[in-house]
Amino acid sequence: MSWLTWITPAVVIAIGIAALLRRRAVLADYSRVLAERVKAKAQGSHEARLLHPQIDLQKCIGCGGCIRACPESGVLELAFGQAVVVHGARCVGHGRCADACPTGAIALTLGDLSQRKDLPAIDEKHEAVTVPGLFLAGEITGFSLVRTAVTHGALVAAEVAKRVKAEPAPQMVVAPRRHLVGVLASVEGSEDESESQSASPRPPLDLLIVGLGPAGLSCALAAKKHGLRFACLEQAETIGGTVAAYPRKKLVMTQPMELPLHGKLNRLEYLKEELVELWQSLAQRHRLPVKTGVQVSAVKRGDDGVFAVETNLGVVRARHVVLAVGRRGSPQKLEVPGEELQKVAYSLLDAESYEHRKILVVGGGDSAIEAAIALGEQPGNVVTLSYRKPSFSRIKSRNEVRIQEAIRDGKVTVLFESSVARIEPDSVVLNCKDGAVETERTIENDEVFIFAGGKPPFPLLEAAGISFDPELRPREALVLDRGTGLLSAMIATLIGCIGLLVARVAWSRYYDLPIADRDISDWHAVLRPQGAFGLLAGICAAGLFLVNLLYLARRSPRFGRYLPGSLKAWMSMHVATGFLALLFGCLHSAFHVRDAVAGHALIVMAIVVTTGAIGRWFYSFVPKAQSGRQADLEELGTRVAAMAGEWDEVGRGFGKRVRAQVESLVQAEHFGKNLVDRILTLVLGQIRLLRLLGRIENEGAAQGVAAGDVQRALVLARKAHRLALQVTHFEEVRGILSSWRWMHRWLAIVLAMLVAGHVFTALLFGGVDFGVLRLLGGDR
């Protein structure tokens, strides 16, 4: 009995044990993620108020690239082989998850804004829907990311520059004595303010920028770049907006971004002081017309379309105005007795200034957590954190870890379900809840920091005519299929197929010969598998196969960081090298499949490539979510209910008729019990859907339905058919993918063994011309 007979069962058993252990580890990880999801729902941190990643489960392949790319821990996790949103409230919109996804399965989207009345109604140009010429940028629009604010500001300046070039210059007006021309003159460098305040004709500014945070500063730099006449007003004594008010040495998370007139900022984190210093230096270097300490009280648009902006120093007239005022506004007060005492503050700039103090911090957001931790690290401080809820819900993961460490180390004491009753000179009285019992608790106190949020400057916006009505917000564009992002891979494959066809035709006199007659051909020495061309093709096929396997290493959390390039590019490479390896394998075999290891390897390679391509298509039909089968069905049911309203928006009852046809088509599809029957039903169902879509398009045109409504109905029909298929035949389509994925993986393992065996036997017994090898290697 040969050694192979003994070793094969051992290898099979070892592989089985490894597979079982791996499965157990995966299930344990799923359990952890599900427990975290339950925790997130209990805390209310599972949903984001604004930007959050939306995962297309039909495209997600569970590679985990999005999780590794996200700088906020806990936002995304893997469950049942696919990415899910766990702590959505922690997402701040960096967008790295979408950049890292190899299949385009993630898009940053806004949450349900249908009931949100704290967001202004603006269009895609950031112009107020109800006030032409009045723009909003930065945090006031609901987006808090620095890079997003910078982008907003630059876009607004570019739009204003375009309009200024297209519109005729307005007539000059006589400035009244209380016109802010003196302020603007001093901003522009005039030394004679009294002269500038006298009545004199002055044209309105092209643009007035209110607020000099990241959005306002970017807008100012871009306005300078475009040659606009503009001015900047800031109510604080320094520029920087919300960032300038951060505590000392606070790290600001940002992303690589382009700052007008400066260039790219490549770092991912900056100290607050670094950013503010950079912004101040840019304002000085480019002599931006900035006036600080100016409070804007009203923004009024005249009949001539020119704005009159009222301030504590006078009036400014401008053709366009951008409000980049942030959302902080004035601090939210507790309205409790004693809040007027000097020891009460609503921000913390320098924690190191407080030592050996008894301090109360009120709040449960990131600002309150960071302040409590910073104060707790100073010598002699006794820090108590009061929070009205039973647990922290909307804080960053790193802050959650840090506050737990501070509690454990005794640096911070947290009183959940507590609120301030009154503040006294040497103490604070808290209302504390212990179960159903409420009690008063008095603690000694020297300092109180209140982080209860701020009152956004909504009255100013509403008085200016800006609406917060959700119905006035432009409808979000219908999301079409974003594709798999594999176009480049398919183009490379097409080029390879054309090259293979050209080679087959060019040497058809050799490849058309029977195998027994090929050795007498003049081309045999070159085109045979061991010849120069055949051997080169074989080396290319093996090399491409090895590169193809590197994709698995790129997906690995352990080894992926050592391989450069995006996961999306590696996914494209994985597909392209798989197809190209097969094509070169065909050339290497001289288009003849032998009954040997080489022939078997070629057959299995063809099967692996085919199953991979088909399996990728199957993925589009199988949703997997975070809570197993029942949760999947519940989620799908919710999607069906949400889509019902979209059908009603398609005019003249056309949507309802199309919906009925789609549902009828799905109900007519009957899946068999075996894999072949299920696949056949799925394929035929797609063919029937294409026919139905053609009829829908013709019917819409014949009935005079608007072209936009017809296209919307077609998009909804595709979505509804797939969704109904998933709901009605959930187990069947899930079984298809499960079987197919299992087949693809094990065939890939078999292929790797066959390729290794073929290379080994070819080198030893295959009659390889080593002179050819030396020639190919350049040894002449």
Side-chain angles (χ1 to χ4, degrees), residues 235-253:
Q235 69 173 354
E237 295 301 325
T238 183
I239 67 174
T242 303
V243 175
Y246 284 163
R248 191 169 68 90
K249 295 184 179 180
K250 174 181 170 63
L251 281 175
V252 180
M253 177 71 72

Side-chain angles (χ1 to χ4, degrees), residues 386-420:
S386 172
Y387 186 40
R388 58 188 176 85
K389 292 185 178 181
S391 62
F392 301 119
S393 58
R394 295 181 176 273
I395 62 175
K396 295 183 176 69
S397 58
R398 60 177 178 270
N399 282 338
E400 185 173 13
V401 173
R402 292 178 64 203
I403 190 62
Q404 294 300 332
E405 292 177 350
I407 295 172
R408 185 176 61 251
D409 296 340
K411 295 180 179 180
V412 178
T413 300
V414 178
L415 299 178
F416 290 110
E417 295 186 285
S418 66
S419 60
V420 177

Side-chain angles (χ1 to χ4, degrees), residues 515-563:
I515 297 300
D517 298 337
R518 287 187 178 183
D519 56 354
I520 61 175
S521 171
D522 296 336
W523 290 102
H524 186 62
V526 177
L527 299 180
R528 69 190 183 100
Q530 298 88 350
F533 183 80
L535 187 56
L536 177 62
I539 294 173
C540 290
L544 287 168
F545 180 66
L546 290 175
V547 174
N548 183 272
L549 294 180
L550 284 177
Y551 171 69
L552 303 178
R554 181 60 181 84
R555 282 182 49 178
S556 169
R558 178 179 301 177
F559 304 108
R561 62 179 180 271
Y562 299 114
L563 296 174

Side-chain angles (χ1 to χ4, degrees), residues 708-730:
D709 283 340
V710 173
Q711 291 302 314
R712 185 173 181 84
L714 293 174
V715 172
L716 286 174
R718 293 188 184 95
K719 293 171 58 179
H721 179 269
R722 183 162 295 177
L723 190 55
L725 190 71
Q726 293 166 351
V727 173
T728 308
H729 304 291
F730 178 79

Side-chain angles (χ1 to χ4, degrees), residues 578-653:
F579 278 105
L580 292 176
L582 177 60
L583 299 181
F584 277 105
C586 292
L587 283 176
H588 174 58
S589 69
F591 296 96
H592 175 65
V593 180
R594 294 170 176 80
D595 186 14
V597 175
H600 300 159
L602 186 62
I603 293 173
V604 175
M605 181 177 288
I607 296 174
V608 169
V609 171
T610 304
T611 56
I614 296 175
R616 188 69 194 87
W617 182 69
F618 285 158
Y619 245 112
S620 63
F621 296 95
V622 183
K624 286 181 166 185
Q626 63 275 5
S627 301
R629 177 181 181 279
Q630 185 60 37
D632 281 341
L633 293 178
E634 289 175 0
E635 182 180 357
L636 294 177
T638 302
R639 294 184 195 172
V640 172
M643 189 175 290
E646 296 185 58
W647 283 116
D648 297 335
E649 297 177 5
V650 181
R652 301 176 59 177

Side-chain angles (χ1 to χ4, degrees), residues 152-168:
H152 287 180
L155 288 175
V156 169
E159 177 62 25
V160 171
K162 185 191 303 181
R163 297 185 185 187
V164 168
K165 291 180 180 178
E167 299 171 359

